[in-house]
């Protein structure tokens, strides 16, 4: 049963690409666009939000979201050292956009 759940989670990003406007290129900061977030939420029924890119977030909730993202992505840096060492990797570019 768990493999079935994993498969559906994996499929949620299927068909989402830079060309279709769902993801940003690494040059423009990686991550998902507002269009991509809306598409993802429609598919999954989720409540995903776009990146917090302000220097000083206007609310505590936005600041907490940034702090949480930065902590999670720091774990990804440990898990994928190859991406962590490449300054142009999607992971590094997204962290830069979130100001981690």
């Amino acid at each position: 049963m768990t493999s079935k759940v994993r498969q559906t989670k994996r499929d949620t990003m299927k068909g989402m690409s830079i060309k279709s406007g769902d993801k940003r290129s690494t040059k423009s900061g990686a991550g998902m666009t507002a269009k991509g977030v809306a598409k993802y939420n429609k598919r999954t029924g989720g409540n995903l939000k776009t990146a917090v890119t302000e220097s000083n977030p206007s609310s505590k909730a936005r600041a907490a979201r940034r702090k949480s993202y930065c902590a999670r992505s720091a774990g990804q840096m440990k898990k994928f050292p190859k991406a962590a060492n490449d300054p142009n990797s999607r992971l590094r570019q997204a962290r830069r956009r979130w100001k981690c």
Side-chain angles (χ1 to χ4, degrees):
M1 181 151 186
T2 55
S3 63
K4 197 172 194 179
V5 171
R6 285 186 191 138
Q7 185 64 31
T8 56
K9 282 187 178 183
R10 194 175 301 136
D11 290 341
T12 57
M13 290 300 289
K14 204 171 225 173
M16 299 190 62
S17 65
I18 296 168
K19 190 174 182 180
S20 65
D22 299 325
K23 295 182 186 175
R24 295 179 190 285
S25 67
T26 52
K27 288 181 181 178
S28 65
M32 292 174 71
T33 62
K35 178 184 171 186
V37 168
K39 190 175 183 180
Y40 180 86
N41 286 338
K42 186 176 180 182
R43 283 183 182 181
T44 63
N47 190 24
L48 198 65
K49 295 180 177 103
T50 56
V52 177
T53 56
E54 309 154 14
S55 294
N56 292 320
S58 54
S59 71
K60 286 184 181 180
R62 290 177 72 80
R65 251 181 66 233
R66 174 192 278 159
K67 187 175 179 181
S68 176
Y69 172 79
C70 291
R72 286 193 317 272
S73 62
Q76 292 294 305
M77 297 272 281
K78 288 180 184 175
K79 190 173 182 180
F80 300 104
K82 189 175 177 182
N85 292 332
D86 178 13
N88 295 319
S89 69
R90 292 192 69 78
L91 174 61
R92 290 279 300 272
Q93 292 296 326
R95 283 179 56 83
R96 185 172 296 138
R97 184 161 188 272
W98 278 79
K99 296 180 175 73
C100 292

